[in-house]
Amino acid sequence: MRDLLDVLAETTDAAAALQDEEVEPPVRLSQHIAARMATLGEDATALVRAAAVLGGGSRERDLRRVAGLGRSAAGAGLVQALRSGLLEERAPDRYGFTIPLAASAVLAALPGPIRCSLHRRAAGVLTRGGEVSWVAVAHHERLGGREGAWLRAAERAADDPNALADPGAAVSLLRSLLGRPDLPARAAGRLALGLTRNALLTLPSAGTVDVLGQILVLSQLADEVRGEIRLERGLVLNSQLCRSEGKAETERAVSELRSRPDLRVRALAALANPLSAVYGLDANLHWWERARATAEASGDPTDLLAARAVRGTIAVACGERRRVPGRPGRLPDPDGGPDSRRNEYLTRALSNAACCAVFNGDLRQAAVLLRRSATPWAAAAAPFITQCDRGTELLLRLERGEWSGLGRESRGLLSGVGTRVDARLVLLHLGLAQGAWEDCVTLQPGLDDMPRVFSQFPYEVSAAGIRIRMAVARQNTAEAVATADRIWHRLRAKGVWVWAGHAAPWAVEAWLLAGGEDTARSAVAEFASGLRAHHSRTAGAALLRCRALLAEHAGERPEARGLFGRAALVHERTGAPYRRALDLESAGRCGLVARPPDAEAGGPAEGPLRDLEEALRVFESLGASWDALRARGTLRELAPSGHSRALAGEAADARGRGRPAYGDALSPREQEVAVLAAGGLTNREIAVALHLSPRTVEQHVYRIMRKTHAVSRRHLPTSRADS
């Protein structure tokens, strides 16, 4: 196993390496396989060799034919091979090797003439019957040493619509063709175009992009073929692999596709997509104008639809108030008809607009757009877009407060193409709210790496907001201000101010803590100016919160309370319970602080108290442990004695004789401390959150460790049930 891991560590794609028979197997693995093979009979040995040549999960019929055995002998030999542990049944009538790289070990031990003969047999077997995998046939013909047959199969593969069922095999075929001085450029170009088109809608690997880059430098390719390959490669780099150089590649393709208006429109529409931070909004609109002009000159209905659709995406992203042609509500649904370009443009437009709608707080529209995007055509032909929609659904559930199971599902999608960025952002939000700050530190990229990790701009802004909140909570004002300054500079460059709502309130809080009141007021004025022609519910509520923070800082707490309350009302209408709870907490805090010291205590329905208790209820129902503990601490500090229903149990304990005897069980306060300590907060940070002294927190942690027998803070209980 150690040898196997060493081999995989030296490869760029471990998953592909496990399937590659040309990867040299570790010595000890080869010895192990040879020992197993020595125990087999002649027929079982022939079947194992056939399995090594065919690869993957092969049918009994194909194994038998490559091995040159009759039905009876093959059946008995297969049973013996299965019992030896070399082969396993992966699915009904599908057999393959149990150990990764075992096929490579078997083939490496075969004399060359025998290995070539088996590959030739495999090529012959695969050409029998109905559908032929010409990519696989070409692979076996090449390894069988029949170059003429290999090139003929490669030509057939270039025209085969099913040639890309296994993108890895198609990439391997292209690599083998690239090594020939007499490369058949026409076949390589057709296969490369098929590969790039397939990669854009499916789930490509870095290897796909690399081999396409090698093809681009071939002198044999026609200019328009090179331009189309470059375009598709640029789109894959930018959208699937989140690499910023994709935009430059797409720009270059625009100049190479002068004779193909349909592809120029495709490239220009991609450059006009506002989600990327590579271009500012003005540049996005410039690219759209060029796409529209090109489409109008061509007169092609699908090109015109593409230009309309991307203009609608810009309108949704920016929250434009005026009516713009191409808005998603005016676009037809993808119909799954023969025009795949039309279906792709419509599906992408709906998918991108759904993402923008979530960030802008139009959650109902986002849900409708996701339903319209989820067509049978997308599921069959565009799994990448389907995965993107799955990621958007994670964000939608986060905003709606549907947090049950959300963290587990997001962790499962954290490495998926099309979902990794959404899952990461969701886990950052949940980790902060739940006090799992060690998880946040692990998932949060460095300040310089944020544009690369969160290549779509609204994601970067939201992640910056989380980073600022964490830094403020940890009293790291310098980091909070540095993050605020940087994201504000990037917001100014992009020019889509509705997305500022995900960072602006936290940036204002950081500037005010650092004594930068002028900076904060200037930024809020700039934010408000940017929203004059554009609007989103999230941004509107964020602007109210920014103004409330300025008023609270100036000591105008009644005004601040009113502004926080208006922001909470916006989020209530939007259906965003967590954001609403944050504003209610702030409104309640301002109301209680502004209450005159000599005022008569109000009842439990008093406004500020009611706001704080409602915020606490929402936090606890969502599982937002850190926020709940902070709100409870504010209640303890500011609520009139005996008038908080949320603290009624604690008051009853305090009225009892002496300190309640919890024995080895954790007290309510110890449970609160344990949750935050297990999440990675320091004693000082816990003290700030719970309005305690660091010394008191230290004593609580000591008692908690002793009661729970925890070996470290990470092993402390994180809920009441655990304690």
Side-chain angles (χ1 to χ4, degrees):
M1 180 60 72
R2 176 64 177 265
D3 292 345
L4 176 58
L5 292 175
D6 289 342
V7 168
L8 296 182
E10 296 173 359
T11 66
T12 56
D13 190 340
L18 292 173
Q19 308 297 327
D20 189 353
E21 69 180 61
E22 297 180 19
V23 173
E24 184 177 350
V27 173
R28 278 180 284 187
L29 175 63
S30 298
Q31 293 172 344
H32 173 74
I33 297 300
R36 291 271 191 98
M37 293 282 289
T39 66
L40 299 179
E42 184 177 342
D43 294 341
T45 298
L47 288 167
V48 170
R49 290 174 173 177
V53 167
L54 289 171
S58 303
R59 299 181 195 175
E60 180 182 356
R61 179 195 65 190
D62 294 339
L63 292 172
R64 171 169 51 83
R65 288 174 174 173
V66 172
L69 298 175
R71 291 180 183 273
S72 177
L78 184 57
V79 169
Q80 187 182 15
L82 291 170
R83 287 177 175 171
S84 73
L86 281 169
L87 299 185
E88 64 179 357
E89 186 176 12
R90 298 181 176 177
D93 194 31
R94 294 286 178 178
Y95 304 94
F97 281 90
T98 307
I99 303 172
L101 293 183
S104 298
V106 171
L107 292 173
L110 285 175
I114 296 177
R115 187 169 60 252
C116 288
S117 175
L118 288 172
H119 277 296
R120 291 169 187 167
R121 281 192 197 173
V125 166
L126 293 179
T127 54
R128 300 182 191 178
E131 292 187 359
V132 177
S133 173
W134 288 105
V135 170
V137 171
H139 166 78
H140 290 298
E141 294 288 17
R142 179 174 68 90
L143 294 180
R146 299 195 291 204
E147 290 204 0
W150 165 43
L151 293 176
R152 288 192 295 273
E155 287 275 1
R156 299 287 294 270
D159 296 322
D160 180 10
N162 299 313
L164 303 170
D166 183 353
V171 168
S172 177
L173 174 58
L174 278 170
R175 281 200 175 109
S176 66
L177 290 172
L178 291 174
R180 290 186 58 89
D182 57 338
L183 170 70
R186 187 169 58 90
R190 289 199 310 273
L191 189 55
L193 286 176
L195 182 67
T196 51
R197 291 166 184 157
N198 182 73
L200 188 62
L201 293 175
T202 56
L203 307 175
S205 68
T208 305
V209 171
D210 292 341
V211 77
L212 294 177
Q214 296 175 43
I215 290 172
L216 285 174
V217 302
L218 297 175
S219 59
Q220 300 99 314
L221 291 180
D223 288 343
E224 67 177 32
V225 172
R226 179 178 289 103
E228 185 170 358
I229 294 173
R230 190 184 307 282
L231 167 61
E232 304 291 348
R233 182 174 184 268
L235 296 178
V236 170
L237 277 168
N238 186 64
S239 60
Q240 274 93 325
L241 301 180
C242 300
R243 285 159 57 176
S244 59
E245 63 264 33
K247 289 294 185 184
E249 195 82 321
T250 306
E251 275 194 60
R252 189 174 174 185
V254 170
S255 62
E256 293 177 338
L257 292 168
R258 299 186 184 281
S259 62
R260 293 290 304 274
D262 57 331
L263 295 179
R264 279 175 63 84
V265 169
R266 181 185 182 88
L268 292 165
L271 294 171
N273 188 328
L275 284 167
S276 170
V278 174
Y279 302 112
L281 179 59
D282 290 344
N284 293 137
L285 289 169
H286 163 75
W287 292 118
W288 168 74
E289 288 285 1
R290 290 185 61 181
R292 181 183 59 79
T294 304
E296 288 177 351
S298 75
D300 182 84
T302 302
D303 293 346
L304 291 167
L305 176 65
R308 280 179 53 214
V310 77
R311 184 63 183 88
T313 300
I314 294 173
V316 173
C318 298
E320 291 188 45
R321 297 179 186 272
R322 59 188 176 134
R323 308 185 80 176
V324 174
R327 281 189 177 274
R330 298 187 174 190
L331 291 176
D333 287 337
D335 57 15
D339 190 345
S340 60
R341 279 201 311 138
R342 177 181 183 277
N343 286 325
E344 182 184 345
Y345 284 135
L346 289 172
T347 304
R348 282 191 183 279
L350 295 172
S351 178
N352 288 334
C355 178
C356 294
V358 171
F359 279 104
N360 289 355
D362 198 340
L363 306 185
R364 291 181 182 175
Q365 182 190 27
V368 170
L369 293 171
L370 286 173
R371 284 197 295 271
R372 291 179 61 195
S373 176
T375 63
W377 177 87
F384 173 70
I385 301 179
T386 300
Q387 284 294 94
C388 288
D389 286 350
R390 191 175 180 186
T392 301
E393 286 174 1
L394 296 178
L395 294 173
L396 181 59
R397 286 172 56 190
L398 177 78
E399 292 291 335
R400 283 176 161 177
E402 299 167 2
W403 290 13
S404 177
L406 182 59
R408 180 174 59 255
E409 184 173 347
S410 297
R411 281 188 290 274
L413 296 173
L414 193 54
S415 60
V417 177
T419 59
R420 60 169 67 99
V421 179
D422 307 85
R424 189 170 192 156
L425 187 60
V426 167
L427 289 172
L428 279 170
H429 276 286
L430 293 178
L432 178 63
Q434 295 169 349
W437 287 12
E438 287 189 351
D439 291 344
C440 284
V441 170
T442 301
L443 291 167
Q444 185 73 269
L447 195 56
D448 293 336
D449 290 333
M450 287 185 69
R452 177 184 58 80
V453 175
F454 296 105
S455 61
Q456 292 189 318
F457 195 56
Y459 291 81
E460 181 186 348
V461 178
S462 186
I466 296 170
R467 187 184 186 90
I468 297 169
R469 284 189 71 194
M470 275 196 68
V472 167
R474 291 186 143 171
Q475 299 182 314
N476 190 343
T477 307
E479 180 182 339
V481 169
T483 306
D485 289 344
R486 175 155 184 162
I487 198 62
W488 207 258
H489 172 76
R490 290 179 61 74
L491 277 162
R492 189 178 293 126
K494 181 63 185 180
V496 181
W497 285 102
V498 293
W499 292 335
H502 293 272
W506 320 118
V508 167
E509 187 174 352
W511 287 319
L512 291 175
L513 283 173
E517 183 177 352
D518 291 343
T519 301
R521 290 191 179 278
S522 175
V524 173
E526 189 174 17
F527 185 19
S529 176
L531 294 182
R532 283 176 187 162
H534 301 152
H535 173 72
S536 87
R537 295 176 182 178
T538 299
L543 181 58
L544 289 169
R545 184 176 180 89
C546 289
R547 288 172 170 163
L549 289 167
L550 291 174
E552 184 180 15
H553 182 75
E556 300 167 355
R557 291 187 176 85
E559 180 184 350
R561 168 169 162 70
L563 290 167
F564 281 127
R566 287 170 58 190
L569 183 60
V570 173
H571 289 310
E572 182 176 8
R573 292 170 177 169
T574 300
Y578 179 70
R579 295 182 185 276
R580 170 177 172 261
L582 289 174
D583 289 328
L584 285 176
E585 178 194 5
S586 298
R589 182 190 65 243
C590 285
L592 291 178
V593 171
R595 184 174 172 273
D598 56 349
E600 294 184 6
E606 184 183 358
L609 198 58
R610 184 176 62 244
D611 289 343
L612 257 173
E613 289 179 337
E614 171 63 9
L616 177 59
R617 182 195 67 78
V618 173
F619 289 145
E620 290 182 336
S621 67
L622 291 173
S625 307
W626 176 58
D627 296 292
L629 294 175
R630 186 187 60 247
R632 190 178 292 276
T634 303
L635 276 172
R636 285 199 196 96
E637 183 183 21
L638 301 176
S641 178
H643 286 84
S644 172
R645 290 172 294 183
L647 302 179
E650 296 180 15
D653 284 341
R655 287 194 298 271
R657 280 187 278 175
R659 182 183 299 275
Y662 291 100
D664 289 335
L666 299 185
S667 69
R669 176 65 89 189
E670 288 168 344
Q671 292 170 358
E672 293 174 350
V673 172
V675 168
L676 297 181
L681 277 69
T682 65
N683 288 353
R684 184 180 178 185
E685 292 162 353
I686 296 171
V688 172
L690 300 182
H691 302 280
L692 300 171
S693 71
R695 176 63 177 165
T696 301
V697 173
E698 182 181 343
Q699 292 170 349
H700 279 309
V701 171
Y702 170 76
R703 285 195 294 269
I704 294 166
M705 300 280 285
R706 179 172 52 81
K707 288 181 179 183
T708 61
H709 306 290
V711 297
S712 71
R713 292 166 74 102
R714 295 189 64 181
H715 294 87
L716 292 175
T718 57
S719 68
R720 288 181 184 269
D722 292 338
S723 59

